[in-house]
Amino acid sequence: MEKVASAVLFPCKYATTGCSLTLHHTEKPEHEDICEYRPYSCPCPGASCKWQGSLEAVMSHLMHAHKSITTLQGEDIVFLATDINLPGAVDWVMMQSCFGHHFMLVLEKQEKYEGHQQFFAIVLLIGTRKQAENFAYRLELNGNRRRLTWEATPRSIHDGVAAAIMNSDCLVFDTAIAHLFADNGNLGINVTISTCCP
């Protein structure tokens, strides 16, 4: 039976939504975990929203279920996180619209261990991994004759925020650094999105 199973190719379980791959049974689970045709989950940080749907439905979901998220137009904006001194884990989320795409800006504060909080800032594309490769983003903290900059390729919302934070593949800074750049507990992050040459 094992010989037969290793010779047979099986369709991806997302064949009905467009995936045309056929794989050996041993390759199927790994592929299906990263398949571009699997449903998208709500990209908002935190586990409270269980929504899943197609990429085309993500923006509609965000505008109806998460009305408090502000959207700014243009490739160069300021993401203002208010009350960064709030205790515990906190998320700030904003949308940026430019180049015909929507980007989600996330600043997440986590308590890594007792009394030590870290901030994680990242940009996600409401789009596929392949589309994300066409863009670059820059996050910049400015103030008091100091500048802290992070430049990277945005992640697709398919990958989510948690994986980036786990790998520190984002702008990471602690409370002391946040206070160097904050003004009355509010932190302004300059966000610039640009297109890359293929």
Side-chain angles (χ1 to χ4, degrees), residues 174-188:
D174 63 16
T175 311
I177 290 173
H179 286 291
L180 285 175
F181 294 102
D183 182 19
N184 290 325
N186 301 321
L187 183 66

Side-chain angles (χ1 to χ4, degrees), residues 120-122 137 150 152-153 155 163-172:
F120 302 87
I122 190 165
Y137 72 92
W150 168 266
T153 300
R155 284 180 168 248
I165 288 175
M166 197 169 68
N167 300 322
S168 292
D169 186 14
C170 52
L171 175 60
V172 182

Side-chain angles (χ1 to χ4, degrees), residues 112-125:
K112 280 300 182 192
Y113 49 87
E114 192 63 40
H116 183 75
Q117 295 177 327
Q118 282 190 303
F119 290 85
F120 302 87
I122 190 165
V123 174
L124 303 167
L125 172 70

